[in-house]
Amino acid sequence: MNESGRLRVLLADDQPLLRMGFRLILEGEDGLEVVGEASDGADAVRQVGHLDPDVVLMDVRMPTIDGIEATRAITGSGSRARIIILTTFDLDEYAFAGLQAGASAFLLKDVAPAELVQAVRVVASGDAVVAPRVTQRLLETYVRGAGPAAASGGQGTAAPPAPAPAPRDPLLEDLTPRETEMLEAMSEGLSNAEIAHRYFLSEATVKTHVRRILTKLHLRDRVQAVVYAYETGLVTPSNPDY
């Protein structure tokens, strides 16, 4: 966010018409500013370095460097930019790879204008996961060997056997029992308000727990915490035949 308090957004997509549509939507909103456009992943990485945006809308399929590698490069550089992966369908292995690479959320390209604007604001705040139930479904499909075959209802090639559980991450031992509960609840896709209701806490207390979890586990945001919880085996897919 710049000194004027406006959220700065970079658009990265190789389709000019899509970039134009997103620009028109975002610039029609108070407090949002499109600071640049990139037509491939390499250009997106360069522009993030020069423009320092708050949020990047990142297509996954682009020339030169795809959106996954661009996301990995941006998050690995220490940039504060939050990245939203753009995809064409919800159970997308590329969207999952984008979350693994450090993206904060994913959206469908045919997202409604109001949902696009809300997603940008939510991701910039770092306080919530965009479409948490959809994010959970994506993770349950692709984490720990569920594989793309599960997304097609079991049709086609069978998914590979699930890998052996990963060794428990020592960082988990730094969490208090309450923080572990909070992380498990986040992994269910619950919002702060829903977590507060479940555990009879205030939302402010839940936010404090979330911040402490992210700090202890060296994670960027809530969605990275959910990915971490699945990948370390703290939580497992509730329905492997999704």
Side-chain angles (χ1 to χ4, degrees), residues 75-148:
T75 58
S77 73
S79 170
R80 66 184 185 84
R82 307 283 184 177
I83 298 172
I84 299 176
I85 291 290
L86 298 173
T87 183
T88 52
F89 54 97
D90 55 5
L91 288 181
D92 186 344
E93 61 186 304
Y94 288 97
F96 170 60
L99 297 183
Q100 285 186 309
S104 296
F106 74 97
L107 285 177
L108 300 181
K109 285 191 173 184
D110 62 357
V111 62
E115 292 177 5
L116 173 66
V117 171
Q118 177 66 7
V120 169
R121 296 190 192 281
V122 165
V123 166
S125 75
D127 285 337
V129 176
V130 174
R133 299 298 192 280
V134 179
T135 300
Q136 181 195 19
R137 185 173 176 225
L138 182 80
L139 289 166
E140 292 202 342
T141 302
Y142 287 103
V143 169
R144 299 171 65 79

Side-chain angles (χ1 to χ4, degrees), residues 19-106:
R19 297 199 308 268
M20 180 186 299
F22 282 171
R23 177 182 282 274
L24 290 173
I25 292 168
L26 295 173
E27 292 193 335
E29 297 290 324
D30 291 337
L32 297 181
E33 175 184 7
V34 176
V35 295
E37 297 184 19
S39 59
D40 61 58
D43 192 24
V45 174
R46 285 193 297 270
Q47 291 205 46
V48 166
H50 291 310
L51 299 173
D52 189 30
D54 299 293
V55 176
V56 181
L57 291 177
M58 181 80 77
D59 186 21
V60 291
R61 297 169 179 85
M62 292 187 293
T64 310
I65 295 177
D66 66 26
I68 308 306
E69 289 305 314
T71 296
R72 188 172 290 112
I74 291 167
T75 58
S77 73
S79 170
R80 66 184 185 84
R82 307 283 184 177
I83 298 172
I84 299 176
I85 291 290
L86 298 173
T87 183
T88 52
F89 54 97
D90 55 5
L91 288 181
D92 186 344
E93 61 186 304
Y94 288 97
F96 170 60
L99 297 183
Q100 285 186 309
S104 296
F106 74 97

Side-chain angles (χ1 to χ4, degrees), residues 143-144 165-168 172 227-236:
V143 169
R144 299 171 65 79
R168 185 175 175 86
L172 286 171
V227 172
Y228 171 91
Y230 274 86
E231 292 191 320
T232 58
L234 179 66
V235 297
T236 57

